[in-house]
Amino acid sequence: MNQKPYSFFKGIALTIAMVAAAVVAQAQYCIPTYSIQCDNSTFINNVTTTGGTTNITNNNTGCGNTTTSYSDYTGNSSMKVVQNAGSNVTVTVKMGPSGGTAGTYVSRIQIYVDWNQNGDFTDAGDLVGFINALTGGGGSGNTSFTVPLSAKHGLTRMRIRAASRKSIPEPGGSFSPCGNHQEGEAEDYNFEVINPCVPPTGLTISNVDYKSATITWNVKQNAKLYEYYFTNDKSTIPPTSIGYTYTSATTLNYNNLICDTMYYFYLRSVCDTTGSTIFWDTSAWVVDSFRTDPCCYAPNVSVQNVGASTAVASWAPINTAYGYEYIVSVNATLPQVIQGTYTTYTSAFLQGLSGSTQYYVHVRSRCSPTPLSGWTTTGFLTQPAVSVNTVSGNNMFDVSAYPNPVENNLTVEINGKTTGNASVWLIDITGKVISNTPVTSNKVNVDMTSLPSGLYTVKYVDDAHNEVLKVTKQ
């Protein structure tokens, strides 16, 4: 069986709801009354409108209803004003025909429009204009008003009510759209507001970083609420059902986003919130998307050439990093607020360690625009302490380096028996490993010709020895 989409059922339900609401709204309007009906030419003879996309011309009506002095023209399809929100309408009213002493009677005209279609004329802004001191016997005047941008889209009611100045507080006092007055007449007309529910404009995403973003849009004056859907899961969009989040605000702040992630923000206006959400009048969706800043990843750290007092930590470069921080500690964890030694290299020579001690090296990345990664921690155990000169049987073991200071080539001489994995490391003052040369004879040549002047560390290591020397490059 083919299932109908949600929009199909919503359309049927919305149509039923609108018809029912229209019937209820029409029944809600009060009927004004008068003590004296259409006396002394204080009745409305002509009503015309101009400026609308459709206008009313209702002339020479005389006293439309001599029993109640109230005429309801909303059942006449030709008696309708149509106008866009934000545009003007002018209403011109002419009082009853001339003759006798009617001109001595003065009326005030008040015009009401039920902008929110709630069945009354008592909300702020429903009184849209007045024409003061119109004499009976043919006196006329006009007033203009603007259809509010907040007015509800669709068919509503306009009331034009005249009342004799005998029953109005002076000077120029107003009177109720309902209730009783001594003399006068009231007429009701259809007024169709063109103000469809459309999406908000000015959807803007700003202040984007690796975890935050601000989303704003312009106020839509006929929107009661805004409905939005925010996701980083592209498989769930576009939105196809109800149940999203509503807000009356026009700014949203997000502070717990995922770095280097694409996000999608859907937004629409909700222009009528009558009844269940399935009946609400909503606009089409508008959408925008953005990607958070690249992640600042923590390096993967390894530690090699661990001796009694030194070790070398190294890590692969991070694409978004411009530098790194490292800390050597006997603690396995560090607070995030602590600051380590800064380096732009991807290795660090760790010295001044104690023998037979468990250490942890902590390294994190510094990135731009994302500031810092978390710490990566790797543990290592130093070797037992050894002396500079080690005696093994009748043999003494030591290491020397010359010339010192050195200008071009440095010779590292090993006096004594080496063991497996012997190598000579050259390390600068920042901890960067300049070279790592395997030992194949008792003399190792280290080329320092292109290196800048300064203090360097020469480290010899094998399976049994760990020797450190300082040399100066001229």
Side-chain angles (χ1 to χ4, degrees):
M1 182 176 68
N2 293 328
Q3 290 185 333
K4 297 292 187 182
Y6 163 77
S7 58
F8 173 81
F9 293 107
K10 181 176 180 181
I12 294 176
L14 185 58
T15 300
I16 295 171
M18 289 176 66
V19 171
V23 171
V24 172
Q26 292 294 327
Q28 285 178 341
Y29 289 104
C30 63
I31 297 177
T33 60
Y34 293 90
S35 300
I36 304 173
Q37 282 72 43
C38 300
D39 187 35
N40 296 314
S41 299
T42 57
F43 56 87
I44 300 169
N45 197 45
N46 294 358
V47 171
T48 58
T49 66
T50 55
T53 59
T54 299
N55 292 288
I56 292 170
T57 300
N58 193 23
N59 294 333
N60 302 313
T61 58
C63 183
N65 189 322
T66 57
T67 302
T68 63
S69 289
Y70 167 69
S71 296
D72 184 357
Y73 293 102
T74 59
N76 186 338
S77 61
S78 66
M79 296 296 175
K80 180 173 70 172
V81 183
V82 180
Q83 185 56 296
N84 297 296
S87 297
N88 294 337
V89 171
T90 299
V91 178
T92 301
V93 177
K94 184 177 181 180
M95 299 306 294
S98 59
T101 60
T104 62
Y105 291 88
V106 179
S107 296
R108 176 183 171 95
I109 308 294
Q110 293 190 170
I111 301 172
Y112 306 85
V113 182
D114 180 18
W115 296 125
N116 63 2
Q117 302 178 30
N118 69 341
D120 63 50
F121 301 105
T122 59
D123 298 292
D126 283 357
L127 175 57
V128 298
F130 62 88
I131 308 168
N132 205 17
L134 283 190
T135 59
S140 67
N142 63 70
T143 185
S144 297
F145 57 88
T146 302
V147 180
L149 294 174
S150 59
K152 186 175 179 180
H153 177 71
L155 193 64
T156 189
R157 183 174 292 215
M158 177 175 69
R159 174 162 295 176
I160 302 173
R161 189 172 192 191
S164 168
R165 291 283 289 271
K166 292 180 181 180
S167 58
I168 303 171
E170 292 291 347
S174 63
F175 52 89
S176 167
C178 302
N180 185 74
H181 289 288
Q182 182 176 358
E183 295 174 315
E185 186 187 14
E187 296 181 352
D188 282 1
Y189 296 89
N190 285 324
F191 195 113
E192 185 175 351
V193 175
I194 307 301
N195 196 16
C197 196
V198 297
T201 59
L203 179 59
T204 303
I205 299 173
S206 60
N207 303 323
V208 177
D209 60 21
Y210 69 103
K211 66 175 182 178
S212 304
T214 299
I215 302 176
T216 60
W217 57 92
N218 297 331
V219 172
K220 188 74 178 68
Q221 293 198 33
N222 68 331
K224 304 294 184 183
L225 292 170
Y226 305 97
E227 187 177 13
Y228 65 92
Y229 180 57
F230 186 60
T231 182
N232 63 350
D233 183 2
K234 192 173 183 179
S235 66
T236 65
I237 57 176
T240 56
S241 63
I242 61 174
Y244 302 108
T245 307
Y246 298 98
T247 182
S248 59
T250 56
T251 298
L252 295 173
N253 293 296
Y254 292 94
N255 298 301
N256 295 294
L257 306 181
I258 303 170
C259 58
D260 198 20
T261 300
M262 181 66 75
Y263 284 93
Y264 304 88
F265 184 80
Y266 278 78
L267 177 70
R268 66 181 177 183
S269 302
V270 180
C271 299
D272 186 4
T273 56
T274 302
S276 171
T277 55
I278 196 172
F279 300 138
W280 289 5
D281 183 20
T282 57
S283 72
W285 293 99
V286 289
V287 64
D288 204 349
S289 61
F290 66 96
R291 182 177 290 278
T292 49
D293 285 345
C295 300
C296 189
Y297 293 106
N300 292 320
V301 182
S302 61
V303 180
Q304 304 90 23
N305 298 106
V306 180
S309 61
T310 60
V312 176
S314 60
W315 54 90
I318 301 299
N319 290 338
T320 58
Y322 63 85
Y324 308 90
E325 293 179 22
Y326 67 92
I327 294 175
V328 179
S329 171
V330 295
N331 298 316
T333 59
L334 289 176
Q336 286 293 319
V337 295
I338 196 170
Q339 185 171 336
T341 300
Y342 175 72
T343 181
T344 58
Y345 301 120
T346 56
S347 63
F349 179 54
L350 313 177
Q351 52 189 328
L353 309 178
S354 299
S356 302
T357 302
Q358 178 68 45
Y359 282 97
Y360 299 90
V361 58
H362 311 271
V363 182
R364 68 180 176 187
S365 304
R366 285 189 184 180
C367 306
S368 179
T370 306
L372 291 169
S373 72
W375 292 103
T376 293
T377 300
T378 301
F380 64 95
L381 180 66
T382 54
Q383 299 291 329
V386 294
S387 61
V388 175
N389 295 317
T390 304
V391 178
S392 177
N394 296 322
N395 297 321
M396 178 177 290
F397 186 90
D398 72 9
V399 177
S400 60
Y402 55 85
N404 190 9
V406 59
E407 184 174 351
N408 295 311
N409 293 306
L410 179 72
T411 299
V412 180
E413 184 173 348
I414 300 98
N415 298 307
K417 185 177 180 181
T418 62
T419 61
N421 300 314
S423 61
V424 172
W425 294 68
L426 180 66
I427 302 162
D428 70 12
I429 195 171
T430 69
K432 179 184 178 182
V433 177
I434 305 299
S435 62
N436 179 7
T437 306
V439 175
T440 57
S441 67
N442 69 325
K443 290 184 179 181
V444 176
N445 180 66
V446 179
D447 185 4
M448 300 181 65
T449 305
S450 61
L451 298 179
S453 300
L455 186 65
Y456 292 82
T457 298
V458 175
K459 179 183 178 184
Y460 169 85
V461 292
D462 63 23
D463 290 343
H465 306 96
N466 188 342
E467 314 293 343
V468 177
L469 304 171
K470 299 292 184 181
V471 297
T472 301
K473 168 67 166 62
Q474 292 182 329

